[in-house]
Amino acid sequence: MLTLAVDIAREAGEMLLAKRPPRPEVLATKSSPTDIVTALDKAAEELIRSRIAQARPGDAVLGEEGGDTPGEGAVRWVVDPIDGTVNFLYGLPDWAVSIGVEVDGEIVAGVVNNVPRGQLFTAEKGEGAWLDGERLSCNTGVPLDRALVATGFGYGADRRRVQAEVLAQVMPRIRDIRRSGSCAVDMCSVAAGRVDAYFERGTNYWDHAAGGLIAAEAGARVGGLRGWPVHPDLIMSAAPELFEELRDLLIPLDPDHD
């Protein structure tokens, strides 16, 4: 299934690069005027769904644009056709096709194709995380005050206001912040040691299904804020010792509320 996911993610990425106009048009908005959908989001998901249906017609699919399509067995594909749609719209280089494979409710394989950079991240449960044939390992032994931390922001004004207030308290306690605009890319950046940690409020399952497995298979801890598993209220990822330090910094700041 990982091989199939890789093939589909590559095909979708090639289609998106070939068909992306100089200025893609916004097709619709979702939760706010800044939460956008382009025609190519939908086209890419339709391509991915069709390829899955051809190869494995009994499997379920959960996609950002098309919702949840039930299947006949234990396998469900979790698809974000373009994670980082605003980057895609503006021609910025961090957007990705993300495909996770879930069996009996657990993600067991995942691929994140960072298309503009030509980088394909993969992971299989228990088999490690990989970037173009090189095994990945997250950074370890980094104290909080030396940590480069990735984060993202929500679409609603009220949520962004709270996130800015939290960030103002976090910034003096860490090395610096990075903002790629893609949850999937951020999780892979943790896996590859390009950042030390990541946290964000308001991500969806399709945003982190594949990237979360890639980070975990690279040695990172992936979870929620208050001892919870991954949750839309807040997702975190870092090496285990840094995860705990960042969590202890965040909890008093109450970052999981609007």
Side-chain angles (χ1 to χ4, degrees):
M1 288 187 290
L2 179 60
T3 299
L4 178 60
V6 166
D7 290 344
I8 295 171
R10 287 191 188 277
E11 183 181 358
E14 290 167 1
M15 182 274 287
L16 288 165
L17 278 182
K19 293 191 174 182
R20 183 190 177 278
R23 290 287 186 272
E25 292 186 3
V26 174
L27 180 65
T29 60
K30 294 184 279 189
S31 62
S32 82
T34 57
D35 186 4
I36 62 171
V37 180
T38 70
L40 286 172
D41 284 272
K42 292 186 174 291
E45 184 165 321
E46 288 168 4
L47 184 154
I48 293 167
R49 285 176 176 270
S50 70
R51 296 296 183 266
I52 293 169
Q54 289 168 9
R56 298 184 57 89
D59 290 354
V61 179
L62 171 64
E64 179 176 14
E65 309 306 334
D68 201 355
T69 303
E72 300 170 357
V75 177
R76 184 170 70 159
W77 299 71
V78 184
V79 174
D80 193 340
I82 306 176
D83 188 57
T85 301
V86 173
N87 287 348
F88 178 75
L89 182 73
Y90 278 80
L92 296 172
D94 282 316
W95 54 268
V97 179
S98 175
I99 303 175
V101 184
E102 180 190 84
V103 178
D104 291 325
E106 180 183 21
I107 296 292
V108 299
V111 54
V112 173
N113 183 10
N114 186 334
V115 180
R117 297 188 187 276
Q119 297 176 341
L120 192 131
F121 297 84
T122 61
E124 223 173 342
K125 185 74 175 177
E127 299 295 331
W130 303 82
L131 168 59
D132 300 327
E134 179 181 351
R135 188 157 189 165
L136 300 177
S137 179
C138 71
N139 294 335
T140 59
V142 180
L144 183 64
D145 63 355
R146 303 292 177 86
L148 186 63
V149 181
T151 194
F153 302 96
Y155 294 109
D158 290 340
R159 175 167 293 181
R160 288 181 173 186
R161 186 176 301 110
V162 172
Q163 289 173 319
E165 292 167 356
V166 169
L167 198 57
Q169 299 299 312
V170 170
M171 284 291 289
R173 303 284 301 279
I174 63 173
R175 180 189 295 275
D176 206 347
I177 284 286
R178 291 294 181 267
R179 156 63 156 159
S180 79
S182 164
C183 170
V185 170
D186 283 337
M187 299 292 276
C188 291
S189 293
V190 172
R194 296 171 179 173
V195 297
D196 301 304
Y198 163 69
F199 76 94
E200 186 171 353
R201 171 159 168 72
T203 62
N204 294 296
Y205 188 33
W206 46 77
D207 297 322
H208 58 72
L213 178 66
I214 291 165
E217 286 295 316
R221 181 174 170 184
V222 180
L225 182 63
R226 306 174 195 275
W228 302 329
V230 172
H231 192 276
D233 283 348
L234 198 100
I235 184 173
M236 296 177 55
S237 180
E241 65 277 11
L242 179 57
F243 184 102
E244 294 183 3
E245 282 194 81
L246 181 60
R247 179 196 60 199
D248 292 345
L249 171 61
L250 290 172
I251 284 175
L253 304 178
D254 202 18
D256 50 349
H257 81 285
D258 294 334

